[in-house]
Amino acid sequence: MEIIIYLIPVALFLGGAGLAAFIWSVNSGQYEDLDGASYRILEDEDKPL
Amino acid sequence: MSMMADTVERGCPSGLAPPAEDRASDFSAFVREAGKEKALSLSVRGAKCGGCLSKIEGALQALPGVTTARMNLSTGATDVRWTGSLDPNRVAQTVRDLGYGVSARAEANDADLHKAEERKLLIAMGVAGFAAANIMLLSVSVWGGHGEMGEATRRGLHALSGLIALPAVIFSGRHFFGSAWSVLRKGKANMDVPISLAVILAFSVSIWATIKGAEHAYFDACVMLLFFLLIGRFLDARLRRRAYSAALDLAALQNRSVNRVSSNGEVNAVRAADVVAGDRLLLAAGERAVVDMTVLDGVSEVDESLVTGESLPRLASVGSKLFAGSVNLGTPLTGQALAGTEDSLLSDIARMMEAGEQRRSGYRKIADRAVSLYVPFVHTTAALAFLGWLMLGAGFEHAIMIAVTTLIITCPCALALAAPVAQVVASGRLFRKGIFLKSGDALERLSEIDHIVFDKTGTLTLGEPELMNADSIPAEVLAMAASLARASRHPLSRSLVAAAGPGQMAANVKEQPGLGLEAEIDGNICRLGSADWTGATKGAAKGPVLWFACGDDAPVRFDFHDVAQAGTRKTVETLQAEGYELEVLSGDREEAVATVSHDVGISQWTASASPAVKVKRLEALRAEGHNVLMIGDGLNDAGALSLAHAALAPGAAMDISQSASDAVYSGGPEKVPFILETAKRAQNITRQNFALAAIYNVIAVPIAVTGHVTPLVAAIAMSASSLIVTMNALRIEAGGRS
């Protein structure tokens, strides 16, 4: 059972990494335009020749 | 490029686009310097789909020197940055040419505040969720190892839970603690007081339990409580911010530039806000007046439909008074400003709206009423439990533990979610039908409506007269008349052109304001306009008429009428069958209002109603105890819209009317029964949710007071009640009118 001494910190670290990513995404404005984002992925960057 | 222009559809195909206004505003007054670049913030109206986004951004990026052009589809805010000598008016014109409404956007600091608040809540929610999940992981092993786990292991797991909970409680809980502290200092209590008390006490008791090596610690309950409550808070903040950004559009409407004529005759573009009484202003063709003014020079027809609701233009000549919001249809006019923008009609109406909105915010939401019952109940129960157990001989420690579990278990997760979740589901249902709800409590007010007041122009009718007798007019006469009409902005001319279809414009068309048009076709002088202008004898007509005469031929009459939108009659019947009282309140002429009211089957109508009369009528209805729903689109309706118990505006309405109303719908009045039905349904569900929360407390409180709440019971009870309330709210979607 000593393994949980490693497992718990690992689990917390992974969870924390997810939380950090979430906070980053909120602060960088990823949720500001939910309507637009869903259309932007369909936008074709390439211009026709 | 011309190929492209043909294939690109103008405006938003969703039909929500307001009619593009020909507005000669000078955008250079609103350009900011951002380092080496120049920046312009625009508010684009009418873009509601993905096609609009790529069309607008693509067109802007194609302009010379533009480095970034990014539009937020949810709000319409568009930021454009460029280097070099690009004319800002060309930027705006590019968007306008695509068929959207554009105005310069006010850089308001409040908008950032609202955004920051919403972000803070979202992050707090994320932190609480993270902590709740991780502590639950540890708690489950404590509960699962009940009786087998050694005391040292259990204490270690509790201590670890406490370490995770401490930063989460401080970080996510400060929203509640701050608000609780500020009302407590004023000697009052709100919902945040029992929440803060429960969280802080439960946390302290759990630390004590951990140190002593006791079996139960409530770290998971504290954090989970915060997590559920923050979900409710976040949904609420989101709805409120959406309402706020709609109000910002009103500010954008005032961000116009005006052509001011200086004493030496030079014309300069200045910001509308800089106009003072006495300034000489030039009002070009197609331009909208931003201040009230008297005409000093020129004769032209002006469209006052947004000010008065009158569907036909009025002739303005030297000495006439023009109100802010009128559009010049003909030749340029010079006028003297009677007041600055602050004191003009537009601002008067904005002030009327503010007053109405203040009254509306005084409306007590069902959630507030529930909280005012709830707060004393929780405090009393917890205090009684504590005292009761003390008197029964329990130790102080045991008694406080039971009081804390009572606080935790009665804490209002379900109560906090009951209203916001129902509102979010209902607004989603409306959104898919092209209806934009602007505030959550609007649903509550919409569900209480018993009397509906319609504006006529633009609401019941399309505001565009239709040619009645096209069949009895020879095709070549119609084509000739249309070739003259193409030169004019007059609504009758435009509908004549629409009836005739595509064709040529006659050369050298002269417009005589108030009379009509004149041009030479094949050597004959042709005239289109009033009876006097064409030499015809006036006859009795139901609606507006135009006459056309060419050379010595007898004048031909064109009959127009204002038609009700398709399906309006059926909508009226549906609403009447459901017991609503209907009424038409219009600023238009009596015969026009009477005809349309009769056509759609509404017997009660008022014509020639000024904005003040509309407001008065609304006041009277309120005094009679009616809950009035006002539906209108014009500037003249804005005051009445904000006074009504609830208000709706069609998608093509003036921005100011959209700002004053609770919801904006695309399409015709057939959306109204659907909106009302959804509101009623949402209100029913909200009531059920509060009932469920109450039932939950009836069951949970005895369990807590008798000391049977372990952390496991608390966790199950809290999540189950929140889940039930959320699932119940999802029923708003199911069934009903499609």
Side-chain angles (χ1 to χ4, degrees):
Chain A
M1 277 308 280
E2 279 69 32
I3 191 73
I4 61 166
I5 292 176
Y6 303 104
L7 279 183
I8 290 177
V10 167
L12 282 177
F13 171 76
L14 288 176
L19 179 66
F22 174 72
I23 292 174
W24 168 81
S25 68
V26 172
N27 281 332
S28 65
Q30 308 269 329
Y31 302 98
E32 288 305 306
D33 183 15
L34 295 175
D35 300 343
S38 60
Y39 289 108
R40 269 180 212 279
I41 52 167
L42 299 174
E43 225 173 277
D44 206 353
E45 293 286 316
D46 302 328
K47 296 275 177 286
L49 292 170
Chain B
M1 192 61 209
S2 65
M3 270 280 294
M4 278 229 2
D6 287 340
T7 49
V8 171
E9 194 179 350
R10 271 177 62 88
C12 181
S14 66
L16 279 161
E21 290 164 29
D22 304 318
R23 173 188 297 170
S25 204
D26 192 339
F27 284 80
S28 48
F30 302 99
V31 175
R32 301 188 312 276
E33 298 284 336
K36 283 180 186 165
E37 294 177 322
K38 286 176 190 139
L40 180 64
S41 295
L42 297 172
S43 174
V44 176
R45 289 179 308 283
K48 299 286 178 209
C49 65
C52 308
L53 185 83
S54 49
K55 228 174 4 180
I56 293 172
E57 287 187 355
L60 288 174
Q61 260 149 9
L63 291 173
V66 170
T67 49
T68 41
R70 200 168 169 91
M71 175 166 136
N72 184 326
L73 191 63
S74 315
T75 59
T78 307
D79 277 306
V80 189
R81 281 162 190 267
W82 69 90
T83 52
S85 59
L86 179 66
D87 179 6
N89 289 312
R90 195 168 153 206
V91 174
Q93 191 58 41
T94 306
V95 181
R96 199 178 291 143
D97 286 345
L98 291 168
Y100 302 93
V102 195
S103 46
R105 196 175 172 82
E107 284 303 304
N109 295 325
D110 319 22
D112 293 339
L113 278 179
H114 278 248
K115 193 195 281 177
E117 169 75 14
E118 197 182 307
R119 277 187 184 180
K120 258 196 217 154
L121 282 172
L122 189 57
I123 291 175
M125 189 181 104
V127 169
F130 162 81
N134 281 288
I135 296 171
M136 193 52 73
L137 209 71
L138 304 176
S139 300
V140 167
S141 42
V142 173
W143 303 333
H146 178 73
E148 291 169 37
M149 188 179 278
E151 199 192 309
T153 316
R154 189 174 65 210
R155 185 185 292 181
L157 289 179
H158 277 168
L160 196 56
S161 303
L163 277 179
I164 303 171
L166 180 65
V169 165
I170 293 173
F171 183 79
S172 301
R174 67 207 152 109
H175 294 274
F176 303 98
F177 305 154
S179 138
W181 178 240
S182 65
V183 291
L184 274 181
R185 273 197 309 194
K186 290 178 201 146
K188 289 181 193 149
N190 62 4
M191 182 120 115
D192 293 336
V193 175
I195 293 169
S196 307
L197 211 58
V199 170
I200 293 174
L201 279 178
F203 190 78
S204 320
V205 165
S206 302
I207 291 177
W208 181 241
T210 307
I211 293 170
K212 275 190 51 192
E215 201 183 338
H216 297 315
Y218 293 88
F219 292 118
D220 58 317
C222 305
V223 185
M224 197 160 69
L225 183 67
L226 288 175
F227 178 53
F228 283 133
L229 291 172
L230 283 166
I231 295 177
R233 288 284 155 98
F234 170 69
L235 291 179
D236 209 43
R238 209 177 162 76
L239 279 174
R240 259 185 297 125
R241 179 152 84 99
R242 228 182 263 170
Y244 180 78
S245 73
L248 258 194
D249 288 343
L250 170 62
L253 187 71
Q254 300 251 27
N255 281 341
R256 293 268 182 76
S257 76
V258 180
N259 292 315
R260 183 161 64 189
V261 186
S262 61
S263 50
N264 57 8
E266 202 177 313
V267 179
N268 293 313
V270 295
R271 285 150 74 120
D274 297 337
V275 173
V276 291
D279 278 354
R280 277 172 73 94
L281 305 173
L282 181 71
L283 195 65
E287 198 178 355
R288 168 169 295 156
V290 292
V291 294
D292 301 342
M293 56 184 182
T294 333
V295 177
L296 293 178
D297 188 24
V299 181
S300 177
E301 278 179 291
V302 288
D303 176 359
E304 291 189 326
S305 62
L306 290 169
V307 184
T308 60
E310 163 71 55
S311 52
L312 291 180
R314 181 174 73 97
L315 185 72
S317 53
V318 176
S320 315
K321 195 174 169 192
L322 288 186
F323 289 107
S326 324
V327 179
N328 183 3
L329 293 175
T331 50
L333 290 173
T334 310
Q336 186 168 36
L338 292 173
T341 38
E342 287 279 295
D343 308 311
S344 283
L345 183 71
L346 195 64
S347 305
D348 282 352
I349 290 172
R351 265 194 296 276
M352 267 193 253
M353 278 168 54
E354 248 166 54
E357 246 140 52
Q358 265 168 19
R359 186 182 304 188
R360 213 181 263 173
S361 68
Y363 177 79
R364 253 165 86 74
K365 287 185 281 188
I366 183 170
D368 298 340
R369 280 175 286 175
V371 166
S372 66
L373 288 176
Y374 169 84
V375 171
F377 166 76
V378 176
H379 286 149
T380 324
T381 318
L384 285 179
F386 175 68
L387 292 175
W389 279 90
L390 268 188
M391 277 191 281
L392 287 175
F396 174 79
E397 211 174 291
H398 191 53
I400 196 99
M401 196 70 153
I402 286 176
V404 167
T405 53
T406 310
L407 269 179
I408 288 189
I409 207 143
T410 52
C411 236
C413 292
L415 206 60
L417 288 173
V421 176
Q423 284 164 1
V424 166
V425 175
S427 63
R429 184 178 197 238
L430 292 173
F431 182 80
R432 276 190 297 283
K433 289 270 174 196
I435 300 151
F436 298 88
L437 199 64
K438 297 206 328 209
S439 67
D441 61 317
L443 283 169
E444 217 168 313
R445 284 183 276 109
L446 280 166
S447 71
E448 295 166 357
I449 292 305
D450 55 15
H451 192 109
I452 305 176
V453 177
F454 288 96
D455 173 45
K456 181 186 75 75
T457 319
T459 307
L460 289 175
T461 70
L462 284 170
E464 293 158 5
E466 198 170 272
L467 183 60
M468 292 259 290
N469 56 345
D471 298 338
S472 60
I473 295 170
E476 66 272 16
V477 176
L478 185 60
M480 270 204 283
S483 71
L484 260 72
R486 284 193 183 91
S488 164
R489 291 171 202 270
H490 194 285
L492 293 181
S493 301
R494 275 192 275 189
S495 92
L496 198 145
V497 172
Q504 296 286 319
M505 186 167 100
N508 304 324
V509 180
K510 276 175 276 179
E511 184 160 8
Q512 201 64 35
L515 291 170
L517 305 156
E518 185 183 75
E520 203 179 301
I521 302 177
D522 302 332
N524 290 323
I525 298 287
C526 295
R527 284 179 162 191
L528 178 71
S530 65
D532 297 338
W533 178 243
T534 51
T537 37
K538 273 186 192 164
K542 259 180 92 181
V545 287
L546 272 184
W547 291 88
F548 179 67
C550 228
D552 300 326
D553 297 349
V556 180
R557 190 168 99 170
F558 294 86
D559 282 314
F560 294 89
H561 75 159
D562 211 6
V563 273
Q565 298 198 40
T568 306
R569 195 180 173 100
K570 211 175 139 226
T571 305
V572 166
E573 278 164 10
T574 313
L575 289 172
Q576 279 165 342
E578 282 170 18
Y580 295 105
E581 285 174 50
L582 306 184
E583 173 177 350
V584 178
L585 190 56
S586 172
D588 206 351
R589 287 157 303 121
E590 193 162 328
E591 66 265 24
V593 182
T595 317
V596 170
S597 303
H598 179 77
D599 284 353
V600 299
I602 300 177
S603 54
Q604 198 182 347
W605 53 267
T606 315
S608 313
S610 66
V613 169
K614 291 194 177 196
V615 165
K616 234 185 202 162
R617 175 71 187 141
L618 269 272
E619 294 270 17
L621 283 169
R622 183 192 283 267
E624 285 170 29
H626 284 296
N627 287 329
V628 183
L629 171 65
M630 172 85 200
I631 308 175
D633 72 320
L635 198 58
N636 57 329
D637 299 313
L641 285 168
S642 59
L643 256 182
H645 193 63
L648 297 176
M654 275 288 285
D655 325 36
I656 191 169
S657 304
Q658 296 195 0
S659 299
S661 54
D662 296 307
V664 178
Y665 61 90
S666 64
E670 76 276 2
K671 292 284 169 64
V672 176
F674 177 77
I675 299 173
L676 292 174
E677 192 229 28
T678 305
K680 279 207 167 137
R681 198 184 264 258
Q683 193 58 9
N684 276 341
I685 296 279
T686 308
R687 285 215 191 89
Q688 284 171 15
N689 276 351
F690 281 119
L692 284 172
I695 292 172
Y696 158 78
N697 271 350
V698 168
I699 299 170
V701 167
I703 301 177
V705 172
T706 51
H708 289 94
V709 172
T710 59
L712 177 62
V713 172
I716 292 173
M718 287 199 304
S719 20
S721 65
S722 304
L723 267 180
I724 290 173
V725 166
T726 310
M727 305 276 265
N728 190 41
L730 290 177
R731 292 195 312 121
I732 296 174
E733 281 287 352
R737 210 189 310 247
S738 60

